[in-house]
Amino acid sequence: MAINYTSTQTANVTTLTTVYNPVTSGVQTTLIGLLLANTTTSAITASVTLVNSGATITTNIVNNVSIPAGTALDVVQSAKIVIPANYSLKVVSNGAVDVTVSAVEVS
């Protein structure tokens, strides 16, 4: 069994953007960190969703959560979120937000 810790960063997200897409078949992925950093000078709202590959199932992790100017939101905190096979993690915001995703992949 191989364990791989991964981290991805996506800057200035405003439109619906895939920020994490586990593409390896047969890998169990657990989200252990998800930070949304507001890089603007005013409050913004952001949403994080899990979407299946056919875009027929969308599950909200947070929906229209407010993030004050110059701060970051730790979405996962002490929880862990399993990302099902063939799902991706997407973020949308009404202002620029930097996204950092940390995950553990077990194969």
Side-chain angles (χ1 to χ4, degrees):
M1 172 176 21
I3 298 173
N4 184 33
Y5 292 90
T6 65
S7 179
T8 62
Q9 296 77 34
T10 308
N12 299 318
V13 173
T14 54
T15 60
L16 187 62
T17 303
T18 300
V19 295
Y20 183 75
N21 189 15
V23 293
T24 306
S25 176
V27 173
Q28 173 69 49
T29 302
T30 303
L31 189 64
I32 59 172
L34 176 57
L35 295 176
L36 305 177
N38 179 353
T39 60
T40 71
T41 57
S42 58
I44 62 170
T45 59
S47 297
V48 179
T49 56
L50 279 172
V51 181
N52 72 337
S53 61
T56 57
I57 301 172
T58 299
T59 305
N60 290 308
I61 294 175
V62 293
N63 188 33
N64 291 326
V65 65
S66 181
I67 306 171
T71 65
L73 173 68
D74 181 357
V75 175
V76 175
Q77 295 181 2
S78 63
K80 306 299 178 258
I81 299 170
V82 175
I83 300 178
N86 301 314
Y87 276 70
S88 60
L89 191 65
K90 297 182 181 254
V91 173
V92 64
S93 175
N94 68 348
V97 64
D98 289 350
V99 181
T100 302
V101 176
S102 298
V104 177
E105 299 172 338
V106 179
S107 57

